[in-house]
Amino acid sequence: MTDSPLSHPPLFAEIAIPAYVTQTYTYRVPDAFIPLAQRGCRVAVPFGRKMQIGYVVALHDTLEGELAPASLKDIEAWLDETPVVAEEILELTHWVADYYYAPWGEVLKAALPTGLDTSLQTLVTATEAGRKLAVSSQPSAVSGQPPAASRQPSLVEVDGGEHTQHPAPSTQHLPKALTKHKFLFWLVEAGGESPLDAAPSEYSANRAKAIARELEKDGLVTIQQRVGRQRIQPKRQTAVRWNSSQQSVVSSQQEEKNSALRTQHSALIQNPSPQQQRVFEVMETVTEAIAFTELTTKADVSPSVIHTLEKKGVLEVFVREIRRDPLAYLKLLPQAEAITLNAGQQAAYETILEAVSAKKFGSFLLQGVTGSGKTEVYLSVMQSVVERGQSALMLVPEIGLTPMFSRRLSQKFGSLVAVLHSSLSPGERLDEWERIRDGQARVVIGTRSAIFAPLVDLGLIIIDEEHDGSYKQTESMPHYHARDTAIVRASRAGCTIVLGSATPAIESAQNARAGKYVHLTLSERFGGRSLPDVTLVDMREVFKRHKRTQFVSDELVTAIQNTCDQREQAMILLNRRGFASFMLCRSCGLTSDCPNCDVTLTYHKADRRLSCHYCNHHTPVPELCPNCNGRYINYIGEGTEQLEERFKELFPQLRIARLDRDVTRRRGVFERVLGEFASGGIDVLVGTQMIAKGHDFPNVTLVGVVSVDAGLAVPDFRSAERTFQLLAQVAGRAGRGDRPGRVLIQTYHPEHYALGSAREQDYNRFFNEEIGYRRALYYPPFSVLANVVVRHTDLTQASALAERFAQLLRGAAKEEPSTRILGPAPAPMAKLRGEYRFQILVKARKRQNIRDAFDLSFARLTDGERRNVFVEIDPVDLM
Ligand code: ADP
Ligand code: ZN
């Protein structure tokens, strides 16, 4: 880039970089890019020793503060002609970055489909010296023989002693010199320049990089980075249409037009063969064009038949860009029947619609018992929004819920629907994202990150099952909560937001009570169906009866038998996958612990291995105890795999299937099993919480919960809330059809208020008890929470840094007595994926108090320390 002097005033850009850094960086915009310069574009910039792709978040023509223009680096490449991040999303991601202490660049990266990612390529070019050396000597094909190196000057000596700081390799270094030489030879043969990742497969990526670096030191190659291709390219397909130069048929009737086209084109062939006839027949049914392979299949002809017709000027073969359509399988569904809302639904719908029409921010909590028909309310409001020309976004917590919703939505809105969730291929996701951005898709359904979807003229956001913990991104940065982000998006966009749930989060219910949200309720099931009858099975009694612990009570066995005798179906929940939660040697007491995490390894019988559910570490099941060689290995703590096996023994005549993350790892299994269950091909469905949510199977009249006690025992202030919500959800699967449902919950704690409220299905009772505890213990919604996790592979360092950071926080907060700093203490998961973890919990009256304390404390950390301190604002999971 050569700048023509004074052709433009200088321009500077703030770049957000997706890396663990807190600030944005200023770069100079070279003149050549000034015409392209817009906020929201991606650029490549030199960053540290590498190039990085970053996002332009601001442009300005003056520099602030101490920055001197000369100290700034140039933007290396401008990647987008038009911004990929819309203004609205820039602002929203900025809010997320700021609120959740996350790097803006990371949030932006999370907001965009990965298919947009452009790779940075490392390009290796042989220098003049490198070329000379390579052509003057060929490496021996036989490895281990050093003829080339012994005849020729060694690689490092080649350009006249300039690199004398690198001594000539001694014999013991020869193999290395040989590898370098071979690599150089390959490079020159490849034209003297090649991307590093095109190196022969005998070099691993790291090895190739290391060799190239050394050759660079020797002056034999140069290494540059350049912008590669976008990761996902548009999908192309070979297609066939009538040769357009022949087309002259005008008719408004598609059928007439098609047959006229056929007559006209087939006339070009004197005596059409039977194959050609068949092609004409298929072509007559085609509106614009047909995929080449579809044509050959349908007409049952070989490709040559088509090519012959092409040569004769009858058909035209061309390449078209096609959309990757994740909902293509829904194309053939019949149009949904129109429904009429009942009085309660209608009232809720009208209230929400008023807000939609006002085109101002309005927020609602739609609390409706399971089966009350919240979905119909959502659909009706969405329809009104679409009719007004605006767009609507609906979030669901789990991918498992999207097939059902996307089917409903497709029936109603056809090609206006786009879906966004993680099991789409990157290509599908990219295509859906582009349709949304271009305004072709105006009804979007997706999981968490769809909150960043670039909908045009957003009129409505719906958060279904708003209490669900999966709206919070916990595993990786940025730790945002999609529901709370949605509230901010709606308020900035001036649109309506509806939070829906049968069991709202305590915080949301409190907000509704405080008047922050308009509270709408649907207190009865649709069609006057009754809520299921819930029974708690006291497992202490069952123990007394049998004098030993039982996995499945007689009550549950009888209930399943009765249900299936009536040709009805049962769902049985056990929130723990695998066969057994751990292995125990009865001779020496050895348990199977994960070497990286502070948990036991779960026994998976089907693949005969022990595996960690956190880091995926696994080992084969030992025959004998690895410690004492004993033969008495026991497996303790039942999981879904064992439950399925037990049921198969108990009910050999029933069809039993299981759904959990182990079986749904394969694509399509989830949909297949649910489909089979829906059509009555399965009697009893066993599963983890995956089966608890959202599904609507009218023939399910029994829901069993095998154990809830582990969930209650989790050391987290939300464990009661989560247990209650899960039970209410899963109970809500029973009796959704004409026959009433019943629920059996096995527990050792029948007196716990979460279970009592679940039995009575009384949200208010639960809320009132729970809110009392929250107030007494100064937990949300009475305080604002931040959880700091200090992680390090070294225990002493982790502990010391946690101690220091807690001190800093205490110092920073000492003026504000309502701010409490608890810890540090080892996190409940004290070791995870090889890192030790300490936790500091911050409770404050106001958000600003937390901000102030963090800002002061972070300022005292070095960059290195900062990298080991992870903040989670409003944590949903304190593990
Ligand atoms: P929720 O999401 O509140 O648990 P759903 O929306 O799944 O409840 O509704 C429960 C059942 O009642 C579904 O089978 C649904 O089709 C039916 N339903 C709800 N509202 C209507 C309506 N207005 N007309 C006909 N069927 C309805
Ligand atoms: Zn592990």
Side-chain angles (χ1 to χ4, degrees):
M1 270 143 282
T2 49
D3 300 0
S4 43
L6 298 178
S7 58
H8 292 284
L11 187 63
F12 307 99
E14 288 304 313
I15 310 295
I17 291 183
Y20 200 52
V21 290
T22 39
Q23 85 255 46
T24 56
Y25 293 86
T26 312
Y27 287 84
R28 228 170 52 84
V29 182
D31 282 3
F33 300 147
I34 288 182
L36 295 173
Q38 284 186 74
R39 250 160 72 88
C41 291
R42 291 167 306 163
V43 292
V45 291
F47 186 73
R49 298 190 56 222
K50 291 199 305 190
M51 280 250 270
Q52 266 274 17
I53 299 215
Y55 307 88
V56 180
V57 295
L59 289 160
H60 35 84
D61 45 22
T62 53
L63 283 177
E64 281 177 20
E66 274 124 60
L67 282 178
S71 71
L72 295 181
K73 292 183 187 153
D74 275 0
I75 286 174
E76 181 79 27
W78 201 278
L79 303 187
D80 300 306
E81 280 178 27
T82 52
V84 286
V85 191
E87 276 300 314
E88 188 198 357
I89 305 301
L90 264 182
E91 295 302 326
L92 187 66
T93 50
H94 190 210
W95 176 84
V96 168
D98 187 56
Y99 184 93
Y100 293 105
Y101 282 86
W104 194 356
E106 288 279 357
V107 184
L108 282 163
K109 192 167 183 200
L112 293 171
T114 53
L116 270 182
D117 288 356
T118 303
S119 59
L120 285 175
Q121 252 181 2
T122 307
L123 196 67
V124 194
T125 313
T127 59
E128 202 41 48
R131 276 172 202 277
K132 269 197 208 139
L133 177 63
V135 292
S136 62
S137 65
Q138 283 202 11
S140 159
V142 188
S143 65
Q145 279 189 19
S150 55
R151 273 202 315 272
Q152 293 298 324
S154 84
L155 289 177
V156 288
E157 289 170 339
V158 74
D159 48 4
E162 223 184 293
H163 289 264
T164 40
Q165 68 268 38
H166 305 292
S170 64
T171 329
Q172 80 190 91
H173 287 132
L174 269 175
K176 194 172 166 195
L178 252 186
T179 333
K180 281 166 46 174
H181 196 176
K182 251 176 113 178
F183 186 92
L184 185 65
F185 187 76
W186 158 75
L187 181 65
V188 171
E189 258 205 330
E193 181 170 273
S194 167
L196 192 56
D197 55 20
S201 56
E202 65 194 86
Y203 307 98
S204 68
N206 279 336
R207 189 145 167 70
K209 199 189 289 171
I211 297 173
R213 284 248 174 81
E214 292 208 10
L215 288 169
E216 189 187 30
K217 276 196 214 150
D218 300 339
L220 301 173
V221 305
T222 56
I223 301 175
Q224 277 171 295
Q225 282 193 306
R226 67 164 185 200
V227 176
R229 287 208 322 170
Q230 181 175 308
R231 200 173 131 214
I232 301 294
Q233 296 295 313
K235 185 169 177 182
R236 295 198 174 82
Q237 176 190 64
T238 309
V240 184
R241 60 186 168 213
W242 294 118
N243 188 328
S244 51
S245 62
Q246 307 286 336
Q247 279 185 30
S248 58
V249 177
V250 189
S251 168
S252 54
Q253 278 288 319
Q254 189 64 48
E255 263 171 47
E256 263 172 41
K257 186 175 163 189
N258 282 1
S259 89
L261 279 171
R262 174 181 173 175
T263 318
Q264 186 190 25
H265 286 89
S266 53
L268 294 171
I269 305 290
Q270 292 302 324
N271 284 314
S273 66
Q275 287 99 321
Q276 290 173 332
Q277 290 279 17
R278 291 205 297 274
V279 172
F280 292 145
E281 263 160 47
V282 175
M283 285 307 292
E284 192 177 339
T285 65
V286 170
T287 314
E288 289 282 323
I290 180 171
F292 193 95
T293 47
E294 192 184 340
L295 178 57
T296 50
T297 315
K298 277 193 175 159
D300 190 20
V301 298
S302 69
S304 65
V305 177
I306 314 287
H307 288 304
T308 307
L309 289 169
E310 185 191 13
K311 276 192 213 106
K312 303 224 152 136
V314 181
L315 297 178
E316 194 181 337
V317 178
F318 67 109
V319 175
R320 61 178 176 184
E321 266 186 28
I322 54 165
R323 167 190 167 203
R324 283 160 282 220
D325 181 1
L327 296 181
Y329 69 104
L330 294 175
K331 280 276 151 55
L332 300 172
L333 283 180
Q335 188 75 34
E337 281 170 42
I339 58 120
T340 319
L341 299 181
N342 68 17
Q345 289 170 326
Q346 183 69 21
Y349 163 73
E350 281 172 13
T351 315
I352 299 169
L353 198 62
E354 248 172 67
V356 168
S357 314
K359 285 206 168 190
K360 281 197 309 221
F361 172 57
S363 51
F364 297 86
L365 176 64
L366 177 59
Q367 183 175 356
V369 297
T370 54
S372 58
K374 295 183 287 295
T375 315
E376 301 303 336
V377 178
Y378 303 150
L379 289 173
S380 302
V381 185
M382 285 170 122
Q383 170 129 37
S384 301
V385 168
V386 169
E387 279 164 5
R388 303 164 57 87
Q390 288 191 289
S391 58
L393 169 64
M394 174 163 176
L395 297 193
V396 292
E398 299 252 323
I399 150 75
L401 296 180
T402 54
M404 181 190 81
F405 278 126
S406 27
R407 177 155 21 91
R408 298 291 312 275
L409 292 172
S410 286
Q411 284 179 320
K412 210 172 174 86
F413 303 109
S415 63
L416 282 179
V417 180
V419 291
L420 288 176
H421 56 72
S422 55
S423 43
L424 300 187
S425 70
E428 286 172 336
R429 217 177 150 86
L430 179 64
D431 287 2
E432 291 292 80
W433 184 86
E434 285 179 341
R435 289 174 59 240
I436 298 166
R437 182 198 56 194
D438 299 342
Q440 292 164 18
R442 290 198 284 125
V443 177
V444 178
I445 180 161
T447 46
R448 188 172 57 217
S449 68
I451 191 54
F452 300 112
L455 288 95
V456 178
D457 195 5
L458 187 60
L460 173 72
I461 304 178
I462 289 166
I463 312 288
D464 189 35
E465 312 288 4
E466 64 86 29
H467 62 275
D468 200 290
S470 60
Y471 283 126
K472 181 73 184 261
Q473 172 146 316
T474 47
E475 312 84 53
S476 57
M477 290 248 279
H479 298 301
Y480 65 98
H481 197 303
R483 175 196 60 213
D484 300 347
T485 306
I487 302 263
V488 171
R489 182 165 184 187
S491 84
R492 296 189 172 190
C495 80
T496 304
I497 179 163
V498 180
L499 311 181
S501 176
T503 51
I506 294 291
E507 289 92 330
S508 300
Q510 179 73 2
N511 278 338
R513 276 161 213 229
K516 277 203 201 164
Y517 306 148
V518 178
H519 199 173
L520 305 168
T521 49
L522 298 174
S523 49
E524 271 164 30
R525 280 195 160 178
F526 180 79
R529 284 171 198 135
S530 51
L531 281 168
D533 178 42
V534 182
T535 315
L536 301 181
V537 179
D538 187 341
M539 293 306 278
R540 294 169 304 189
E541 296 297 321
V542 178
F543 177 81
K544 273 189 212 149
R545 215 186 293 149
H546 292 269
K547 306 273 185 296
R548 55 194 216 111
T549 43
Q550 297 288 300
F551 178 25
V552 182
S553 62
D554 317 329
E555 286 87 337
L556 187 54
V557 172
T558 314
I560 293 175
Q561 191 63 61
N562 289 344
T563 303
C564 296
D565 286 348
Q566 315 274 326
R567 308 210 157 279
E568 292 164 4
Q569 291 168 296
M571 289 172 106
I572 313 293
L573 176 94
L574 172 57
N575 220 354
R576 190 165 52 209
R577 64 195 165 91
F579 191 85
S581 23
F582 60 98
M583 181 196 95
L584 172 76
C585 170
R586 277 199 293 159
S587 310
C588 74
L590 180 87
T591 55
S592 53
D593 297 325
C594 175
N596 311 315
C597 309
D598 188 20
V599 290
T600 53
L601 297 175
T602 304
Y603 172 43
H604 290 256
K605 194 174 180 188
D607 18 299
R608 297 210 41 77
R609 62 191 199 183
L610 299 166
S611 64
C612 170
H613 286 183
Y614 289 88
C615 73
N616 226 4
H617 169 87
H618 48 78
T619 59
V621 172
E623 297 285 333
L624 301 173
C625 171
N627 188 38
C628 72
N629 272 331
R631 282 190 292 125
Y632 301 103
I633 292 181
N634 266 24
Y635 291 98
I636 307 216
E638 298 84 355
T640 42
E641 197 185 339
Q642 186 169 162
L643 189 60
E644 182 191 16
E645 191 176 290
R646 184 98 183 85
F647 283 164
K648 283 185 170 159
E649 288 161 15
L650 282 167
F651 311 109
Q653 76 289 7
L654 296 182
R655 293 158 303 176
I656 292 161
R658 165 165 66 102
L659 273 184
D660 56 27
R661 262 203 290 145
D662 293 324
V663 291
T664 56
R665 208 164 282 146
R666 266 175 303 136
R667 214 181 160 177
V669 170
F670 187 82
E671 290 79 3
R672 207 197 59 226
V673 173
L674 283 187
E676 243 180 279
F677 191 56
S679 64
I682 293 169
D683 301 304
V684 179
L685 184 62
V686 173
T688 53
Q689 53 156 350
M690 194 178 266
I691 64 170
K693 295 172 187 174
H695 312 298
D696 189 15
F697 301 112
N699 198 38
V700 171
T701 55
L702 174 69
V703 166
V705 181
V706 171
S707 159
V708 290
D709 303 309
L712 278 178
V714 169
D716 186 321
F717 75 97
R718 283 196 176 88
S719 62
E721 179 182 357
R722 268 200 221 113
T723 302
F724 173 76
Q725 284 163 342
L726 180 64
L727 291 178
Q729 280 297 321
V730 70
R733 298 314 111 214
R736 294 172 75 90
D738 305 329
R739 280 144 303 175
R742 58 186 298 227
V743 180
L744 290 187
I745 302 172
Q746 300 190 158
T747 177
Y748 286 91
H749 300 282
E751 69 291 340
H752 194 289
Y753 68 96
L755 293 179
S757 317
R759 184 187 58 230
E760 287 156 33
Q761 299 178 67
D762 185 346
Y763 180 83
N764 288 336
R765 171 179 165 198
F766 177 75
F767 179 87
N768 290 334
E769 288 240 22
E770 181 69 18
I771 202 89
Y773 289 114
R774 300 283 180 95
R775 187 181 285 114
L777 298 172
Y778 195 42
Y779 272 120
F782 301 99
S783 65
V784 181
L785 227 55
N787 191 29
V788 181
V789 178
V790 176
R791 310 195 316 220
H792 204 287
T793 46
D794 181 89
L795 177 61
T796 330
Q797 293 208 40
S799 154
L801 181 56
E803 201 55 63
R804 180 160 128 73
F805 195 67
Q807 285 306 331
L808 288 172
L809 284 171
R810 286 204 172 88
K814 66 174 181 293
E815 307 288 305
E816 188 54 61
S818 64
T819 303
R820 292 183 210 160
I821 317 287
L822 309 170
M829 275 301 259
K831 192 180 176 201
L832 188 64
R833 298 181 191 99
E835 285 182 319
Y836 295 93
R837 294 149 48 92
F838 286 83
Q839 175 172 298
I840 305 163
L841 195 61
V842 185
K843 290 176 172 182
R845 175 86 53 214
K846 296 207 210 82
R847 289 198 179 278
Q848 196 55 44
N849 303 146
I850 288 198
R851 290 209 72 98
D852 295 345
F854 276 152
D855 288 346
L856 281 170
S857 308
F858 274 131
R860 308 280 296 275
L861 293 186
T862 64
D863 279 355
E865 290 172 322
R866 177 76 182 82
R867 260 186 269 280
N868 294 316
V869 178
F870 296 82
V871 172
E872 193 175 349
I873 303 290
D874 308 333
V876 295
D877 191 346
L878 294 180
M879 296 298 279

